[in-house]
Amino acid sequence: MQGSWRAFLTTLGVLAGLAALGSSYQILEGPKNVTVLQGSEARFNCTVSPGWKLIMWALHGTVVLSVTPTESIITNNRFTSESYDVGGDFVSEMVIHSVQLNDSGQVKCSLQNSDRDEAAFLSVQVMGELFIPGGSPVVIEDRPCNVTCRARGWTLLPEFHWVVDVPVSLSSSYSVAEPGDLQSAVSILALTPQGNGTLTCVATLRSVQASKSATVNLTVVPPPPESSYQSEIRKSAAVKTNTGPVETKLKSGNENYGYSSDDWKSTEIASPPPKSQEVSVLEQSSRSNHYQEIDMQRSGPASHPQVLFHLSSPKKVRNVTLV
């Protein structure tokens, strides 16, 4: 009985000594928050003062790596340790290899026999798909068109930009999030192409300085030929715009007194006689005097235009037929 009691007291003395030693060292600087791309490495540093005995690293509250002054105790090959001596202090670095999305969470550095610990947060970003739907487009020369780039399955929406290796007269782009999908977005490039070339859509995650791209070939073809109907319309319009002076003559070679040069106006004439297409012309008896036109009366349009001349001193009637 006395031996067991003495052994118990000895154990308490050892624990007390370790507690006393533990009070002489501490964590000087804990780990910092880290954001990395899925599949890459994440590194966390913990600086402690001299005299430490055991450093423990935990992820999501579970110890995944332990470090002593002489060795590292590795239980999972994804978690390894490196160490540095800086000005007499000890720096323990935990390296997480091939980081996965479910590694996101709290990372903690703690010392054995110490109530102090320091924690940081690991954020893992995922670059999803990036593609241009429909593959390489074929468009018409000098006609506006759109090309769409889609990012799908990204933990954070990327920033877009386009590399336009195509001769164009105009180009612009804008990006929008997909409705109802927080991990997808589209970028639309509007351009007026003038020749063949390549279009490259680039999506970038600024937080991890990583990019992904998608490239397609743009083929530009000439505009299709006009239809015969459109061609006839253009020819008809050209004929109407090229109107010139019009000369109207009687079939007999005589002058047509019923012609008016104001062809865009409606010709007004005297009412036709009931059964004749002749115009009565009154002349003076003296043939040496030429008859003069006193008045030309105009009325509404008629199928047989006639002109009435009023002359002084009528003595003789001559009939003239208009064609």
Side-chain angles (χ1 to χ4, degrees):
M1 176 67 72
Q2 290 180 353
S4 298
W5 178 250
R6 288 177 182 176
F8 176 72
L9 292 178
T10 301
T11 301
L12 288 178
V14 172
L15 293 175
L18 290 174
L21 290 174
S23 62
S24 65
Y25 56 85
Q26 59 184 335
I27 297 176
L28 301 176
E29 184 177 2
K32 305 299 182 182
N33 294 339
V34 172
T35 299
V36 296
L37 185 66
Q38 178 178 256
S40 63
E41 292 182 348
R43 293 175 174 265
F44 296 89
N45 289 340
C46 187
T47 304
V48 298
S49 61
W52 63 276
K53 299 298 181 182
L54 182 67
I55 299 174
M56 295 174 290
W57 287 97
L59 176 63
H60 299 163
T62 301
V63 175
V64 294
L65 178 68
S66 298
V67 180
T68 70
T70 58
E71 64 177 344
S72 298
I73 303 173
I74 298 174
T75 58
N76 188 323
N77 290 332
R78 289 184 58 232
F79 303 91
T80 62
S81 174
E82 295 182 9
S83 60
Y84 313 93
D85 186 11
V86 180
D89 297 326
F90 181 81
V91 177
S92 174
E93 182 177 48
M94 180 180 69
V95 182
I96 306 176
H97 302 272
S98 187
V99 176
Q100 301 302 309
L101 182 60
N102 57 10
D103 290 332
S104 297
Q106 187 186 69
V107 174
K108 183 183 293 185
C109 170
S110 61
L111 297 176
Q112 185 183 35
N113 300 324
S114 174
D115 58 354
R116 288 199 59 188
D117 57 49
E118 295 289 340
F121 193 84
L122 170 61
S123 176
V124 180
Q125 303 298 330
V126 177
M127 298 177 68
E129 296 179 277
L130 184 73
F131 59 98
I132 299 176
S136 298
V138 178
V139 298
I140 298 176
E141 182 180 2
D142 278 331
R143 291 192 184 178
C145 63
N146 293 337
V147 179
T148 300
C149 179
R150 189 179 304 275
R152 186 167 58 193
W154 296 57
T155 51
L156 287 179
L157 295 184
E159 297 179 13
F160 291 93
H161 76 273
W162 289 83
V163 178
V164 181
D165 192 12
V166 172
V168 297
S169 58
L170 292 172
S171 66
S172 62
S173 65
Y174 66 93
S175 305
V176 294
E178 289 275 29
D181 188 350
L182 298 179
Q183 295 185 337
S184 298
V186 297
S187 179
I188 299 175
L189 172 67
L191 72 160
T192 303
Q194 296 179 320
N196 299 333
T198 59
L199 300 174
T200 301
C201 173
V202 182
T204 302
L205 284 178
R206 295 292 182 187
S207 59
V208 293
Q209 294 299 308
S211 300
K212 183 176 284 191
S213 63
T215 301
V216 293
N217 294 319
L218 183 73
T219 302
V220 177
V221 298
E226 295 180 0
S227 66
S228 57
Y229 175 74
Q230 293 174 325
S231 179
E232 290 299 325
I233 290 178
R234 283 186 168 82
K235 289 180 180 180
S236 176
V239 170
K240 289 182 180 180
T241 57
N242 294 327
T243 55
V246 180
E247 296 181 359
T248 304
K249 295 185 178 181
L250 297 175
K251 291 182 179 180
S252 60
N254 297 326
E255 182 178 357
N256 184 356
Y257 294 105
Y259 169 73
S260 173
S261 61
D262 297 332
D263 56 349
W264 56 274
K265 296 181 180 179
S266 298
T267 305
E268 298 180 359
I269 58 174
S271 300
K275 295 183 179 179
S276 174
Q277 298 181 6
E278 298 180 349
V279 176
S280 297
V281 181
L282 303 180
E283 297 180 331
Q284 294 180 353
S285 58
S286 176
R287 293 188 176 272
S288 62
N289 295 327
H290 297 284
Y291 53 79
Q292 298 177 344
E293 180 182 350
I294 305 301
D295 184 29
M296 179 184 293
Q297 297 183 351
R298 298 173 181 264
S299 62
S303 60
H304 301 285
Q306 301 182 15
V307 180
L308 179 63
F309 295 94
H310 299 276
L311 306 176
S312 59
S313 303
K315 289 185 179 182
K316 191 174 182 180
V317 176
R318 185 178 64 181
N319 294 328
V320 179
T321 302
L322 296 180
V323 179

